[in-house]
C-alpha cells in the first residue's frame, strides 16, 4: 500500500501543476481531460479541464483534478519533511510565492524547523524538519 493525496481545484489544476513543477516539486506524469476519448462532460465549463492527473517527484505523489464543486482546502495540509534545512527553506520560499505564509519557517520550541503556508492555489503546505 502507498498513501497519496488528491488535490481538487475548481478550474486551475493545470496551472497549479505547472507552478509545482516550476518550484521543483516534481512533474505531471499523467493527464486526462474532461471530454477526452468521448467521455461525457458534467458541465461545459469543465470541458478540456483536468479530469485526472498524476504528479510525481522525489518523495511526492499527488493526484490532481478540476472539479467545479471543489471546496477550499481546510483541515488538512500537504506535509513535506526534510532532513536538509536549506533545501526545505528554498522550497518553502518557492511555494510561498503568490500565496500566504501562515507560520513563518523558523526553529520551534521543540528544537526543529517548522512552517506553514497557503499557496497561490489555496493548498495548505506544512514544512517540518525531520
Amino acid at each position: 500500500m502507498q498513501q497519496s493525496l488528491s488535490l481538487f481545484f475548481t478550474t486551475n489544476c493545470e496551472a497549479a501543476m505547472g507552478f509545482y513543477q516550476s518550484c521543483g516539486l516534481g512533474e505531471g506524469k499523467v493527464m486526462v481531460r474532461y471530454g477526452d476519448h468521448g467521455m461525457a462532460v458534467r458541465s461545459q465549463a469543465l470541458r478540456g479541464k483536468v479530469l485526472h492527473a498524476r504528479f510525481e517527484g522525489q518523495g511526492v505523489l499527488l493526484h490532481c483534478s478540476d472539479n467545479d464543486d471543489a471546496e477550499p482546502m481546510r483541515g488538512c495540509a500537504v506535509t513535506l519533511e526534510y532532513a536538509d534545512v536549506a533545501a526545505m527553506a528554498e522550497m518553502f520560499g518557492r511555494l510561498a510565492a503568490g500565496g500566504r505564509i501562515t507560520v513563518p519557517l523558523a526553529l520551534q520550541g521543540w528544537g526543529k524547523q517548522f512552517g506553514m503556508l497557503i499557496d497561490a492555489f489555496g493548498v495548505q503546505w506544512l514544512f517540518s524538519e525531520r
Side-chain angles (χ1 to χ4, degrees), residues 50-92:
V50 178
L51 171 66
H52 170 74
R54 182 178 174 103
F55 187 90
E56 298 178 42
Q58 185 174 347
V60 174
L61 174 57
L62 302 171
H63 297 276
C64 308
S65 67
D66 285 313
N67 292 279
D68 53 6
D69 61 352
E71 294 281 333
M73 192 171 171
R74 295 185 185 139
C76 184
V78 179
T79 300
L80 299 176
E81 294 182 337
Y82 284 83
D84 181 339
V85 174
M88 179 172 62
E90 189 173 322
M91 184 60 72
F92 187 89

